Short mmCIF file of all heavy atoms in Angstrom, two decimals:
data_model
loop_
_atom_site.label_atom_id
_atom_site.label_comp_id
_atom_site.label_asym_id
_atom_site.label_seq_id
_atom_site.Cartn_x
_atom_site.Cartn_y
_atom_site.Cartn_z
N LYS M 377 -138.31 -3.62 244.48
CA LYS M 377 -138.78 -5.03 244.17
C LYS M 377 -138.20 -6.05 245.06
O LYS M 377 -138.80 -7.05 245.41
CB LYS M 377 -138.50 -5.28 242.70
CG LYS M 377 -139.33 -4.39 241.80
CD LYS M 377 -139.51 -5.00 240.45
CE LYS M 377 -140.65 -4.36 239.61
NZ LYS M 377 -140.49 -2.90 239.45
N LYS M 378 -137.02 -5.89 245.53
CA LYS M 378 -136.27 -6.75 246.43
C LYS M 378 -135.68 -6.01 247.61
O LYS M 378 -135.39 -4.79 247.46
CB LYS M 378 -135.23 -7.57 245.65
CG LYS M 378 -135.81 -8.66 244.73
CD LYS M 378 -134.63 -9.29 244.01
CE LYS M 378 -135.18 -10.31 242.99
NZ LYS M 378 -134.07 -10.79 242.17
N ALA M 379 -135.42 -6.71 248.67
CA ALA M 379 -134.76 -6.10 249.83
C ALA M 379 -133.28 -6.20 249.78
O ALA M 379 -132.59 -6.04 250.81
CB ALA M 379 -135.25 -6.78 251.10
N THR M 380 -132.75 -6.40 248.53
CA THR M 380 -131.29 -6.67 248.48
C THR M 380 -130.37 -5.50 248.65
O THR M 380 -129.31 -5.64 249.29
CB THR M 380 -130.94 -7.34 247.10
OG1 THR M 380 -131.60 -6.57 246.12
CG2 THR M 380 -131.40 -8.80 247.01
N ASP M 381 -130.83 -4.31 248.16
CA ASP M 381 -129.92 -3.20 248.28
C ASP M 381 -130.24 -2.21 249.42
O ASP M 381 -129.94 -1.08 249.34
CB ASP M 381 -129.86 -2.46 246.91
CG ASP M 381 -131.17 -1.93 246.57
OD1 ASP M 381 -132.13 -2.45 247.11
OD2 ASP M 381 -131.24 -0.93 245.72
N LEU M 382 -130.82 -2.76 250.47
CA LEU M 382 -131.13 -1.82 251.59
C LEU M 382 -129.91 -1.82 252.46
O LEU M 382 -129.28 -2.83 252.78
CB LEU M 382 -132.24 -2.38 252.40
CG LEU M 382 -133.63 -2.55 251.67
CD1 LEU M 382 -134.58 -3.35 252.46
CD2 LEU M 382 -134.18 -1.22 251.25
N ASN M 383 -129.51 -0.57 252.88
CA ASN M 383 -128.38 -0.47 253.72
C ASN M 383 -128.73 -0.72 255.21
O ASN M 383 -129.85 -0.47 255.55
CB ASN M 383 -127.52 0.72 253.45
CG ASN M 383 -128.31 2.01 253.72
OD1 ASN M 383 -129.23 1.98 254.57
ND2 ASN M 383 -128.04 3.06 253.04
N LEU M 384 -127.75 -1.04 256.09
CA LEU M 384 -128.01 -1.35 257.41
C LEU M 384 -128.62 -0.15 258.21
O LEU M 384 -129.47 -0.35 259.08
CB LEU M 384 -126.77 -1.81 258.10
CG LEU M 384 -126.48 -3.28 258.12
CD1 LEU M 384 -125.10 -3.66 258.68
CD2 LEU M 384 -127.58 -4.02 259.00
N LYS M 385 -128.11 1.03 257.82
CA LYS M 385 -128.54 2.22 258.57
C LYS M 385 -130.04 2.43 258.44
O LYS M 385 -130.70 2.81 259.43
CB LYS M 385 -127.81 3.44 257.99
CG LYS M 385 -127.89 4.70 258.87
CD LYS M 385 -127.07 5.79 258.29
CE LYS M 385 -126.92 6.97 259.20
NZ LYS M 385 -128.21 7.62 259.45
N SER M 386 -130.59 2.10 257.31
CA SER M 386 -132.03 2.33 257.16
C SER M 386 -132.97 1.31 257.87
O SER M 386 -134.13 1.52 257.94
CB SER M 386 -132.40 2.32 255.64
OG SER M 386 -132.05 1.08 255.12
N VAL M 387 -132.36 0.26 258.38
CA VAL M 387 -133.24 -0.78 259.04
C VAL M 387 -132.87 -0.93 260.57
O VAL M 387 -133.48 -1.75 261.22
CB VAL M 387 -133.09 -2.16 258.37
CG1 VAL M 387 -133.52 -2.06 256.90
CG2 VAL M 387 -131.72 -2.76 258.46
N GLN M 388 -132.03 -0.04 261.03
CA GLN M 388 -131.61 -0.29 262.41
C GLN M 388 -132.72 -0.06 263.48
O GLN M 388 -132.52 -0.58 264.57
CB GLN M 388 -130.38 0.60 262.74
CG GLN M 388 -130.57 2.07 262.65
CD GLN M 388 -129.22 2.83 262.76
OE1 GLN M 388 -128.29 2.31 263.19
NE2 GLN M 388 -129.28 4.07 262.39
#
Side-chain angles (χ1 to χ4, degrees):
Chain M
K377 292 204 164 57
K378 285 179 186 172
T380 47
D381 61 340
L382 300 171
N383 60 31
L384 265 173
K385 194 174 187 298
S386 61
V387 299
Q388 60 189 345

